[in-house]
Amino acid sequence: MKITVLGAGAWGTALARLLGADQHPVTLWGHDANHLDVVRRSRRNERYLPGIELPGGLQLESDLAGAVAGAGCVVVAVPSKAFREVTKSLAGFSGVIVSVTKGIEHQSGLTMCGVLAENSPQAKLAALSGPSLALEVARGIPSAIVAASDDAATAAAVQQLFHRPAFRVYTSNDLIGVELGGALKNVIAIAAGVCDGLGFGDNSKAALITRALTEMRRLGVACGSQPETFSGLSGLGDLMVTCFSKLSRNRGFGERLGRGEPVDAIVNSMVSVAEGHPTARSACEIARRHGIVTPIMDEVHAILYEGKDARRALLDLTTRESKAED
């Protein structure tokens, strides 16, 4: 079966490499033809995955229609802000579409599979999410992840497609919970990075992550998720790796905020999108719509969109009224 991966960034390239190593014909699509020419000649994507060799059989394509033609499975790994526009081309697609993008569309409040349900009504939809840093996956470092779908057969098919000795895939029927866990943890990772930038220690970050997980679960349940999903790989697991790893873009984004760099300067300097930045705005709007209290996400939003000083945001968190742990 031909598999097409849309998005030639770090995660799309890592998954194309993983899938191509199992003799599947794999096509990797990217919007930048010049960048793809460099990758084609060198068999490396040094911009996003330095030092990683790509399979000789991996096809590179900048024409979207040509990339998707004949595919039985499409993996979508483009940034959330481009997700709807790119997936419009899949309107008539009836195979399996796997979203690996962790975000929430601002205008609609939809997860990425929610967008796909509108753009690709004939397709079988799934999300792949969990603690899976692209560079570590590309290096073959053991990882575990979750394939989620409202349809059990689709989740099982995606599991079989991706499962490897060093890439263990579990299944879940909680599609919205798995997607929200992947999206919301990026907002919290920015907060964790702010702690690093301000020079705080492990006590501070552990407290932050524990209380943030409560916020994520509370908001997820209000949106129809299963609460136990947030204790699994796509919730706690992904939250841990994104908040602690030096490879995490969102944690690094927050660290630079904590050191006093302006938001726009950080955004403009990054090679890849830190999805927690746009997701913070979407998450806070959803929380207000459902009447859910999310103090940590609120403070991240205030830093990113209201110009609030990071130290002031921390003080406002730590001086909140005392309460029982929930």
Side-chain angles (χ1 to χ4, degrees), residues 3-55:
I3 304 169
T4 296
V5 180
L6 304 182
W11 195 211
T13 304
L15 290 176
R17 183 180 186 276
L18 180 137
L19 292 164
D22 198 30
Q23 307 306 312
H24 290 288
V26 178
T27 296
L28 177 63
W29 172 85
H31 72 279
D32 186 342
N34 292 330
H35 174 231
L36 292 183
D37 284 341
V38 173
V39 175
R40 189 178 292 109
R41 290 194 300 270
S42 65
R43 305 313 299 177
R44 293 187 178 198
N45 190 346
E46 292 290 342
R47 183 187 296 177
Y48 297 104
L49 284 180
I52 301 297
E53 295 284 344
L54 300 180

Side-chain angles (χ1 to χ4, degrees), residues 1-22 24-32 35-36 39-40 45 48-49 54-55 57-79 83 86-87 89-90 93 96-101 116 128 134 137 158 161-162 164 167:
M1 177 176 63
K2 175 184 174 181
I3 304 169
T4 296
V5 180
L6 304 182
W11 195 211
T13 304
L15 290 176
R17 183 180 186 276
L18 180 137
L19 292 164
D22 198 30
H24 290 288
V26 178
T27 296
L28 177 63
W29 172 85
H31 72 279
D32 186 342
H35 174 231
L36 292 183
V39 175
R40 189 178 292 109
N45 190 346
Y48 297 104
L49 284 180
L54 300 180
L58 178 64
Q59 299 298 309
L60 299 162
E61 179 63 72
S62 60
D63 176 69
L64 187 53
V68 173
C73 175
V74 174
V75 180
V76 189
V78 300
F83 199 93
V86 170
T87 59
S89 63
L90 303 176
F93 187 77
V96 175
I97 304 179
V98 184
S99 169
V100 299
T101 300
L116 285 172
L128 197 67
V137 170
V158 174
L161 187 64
F162 283 89
R164 304 287 187 280
F167 195 72

Side-chain angles (χ1 to χ4, degrees), residues 215 218-220 222 284 286-295 298:
E215 288 188 21
R218 188 186 298 140
L219 184 55
C284 286
I286 293 172
R288 297 297 81 76
R289 191 182 311 145
H290 288 280
I292 303 299
V293 177
T294 54
D298 290 350

Side-chain angles (χ1 to χ4, degrees), residues 192-216:
V194 170
C195 287
D196 292 337
L198 291 172
F200 297 155
D202 294 336
N203 287 352
S204 305
K205 191 179 286 188
L208 173 82
I209 291 171
T210 304
R211 294 308 304 161
L213 184 60
T214 299
E215 288 188 21
M216 290 169 56

Side-chain angles (χ1 to χ4, degrees), residues 295-312:
I296 296 173
M297 292 188 222
D298 290 350
E299 294 299 340
V300 173
H301 180 276
I303 295 170
L304 293 173
Y305 293 100
E306 299 169 17
K308 189 170 185 176
D309 177 75
R311 288 188 180 275
R312 179 72 244 181

Side-chain angles (χ1 to χ4, degrees), residues 108-132:
S108 65
L110 294 173
T111 62
M112 299 300 97
C113 280
V115 174
L116 285 172
E118 294 185 350
N119 278 355
S120 310
Q122 301 175 46
K124 303 175 184 68
L125 306 180
L128 197 67
S129 188
S132 48

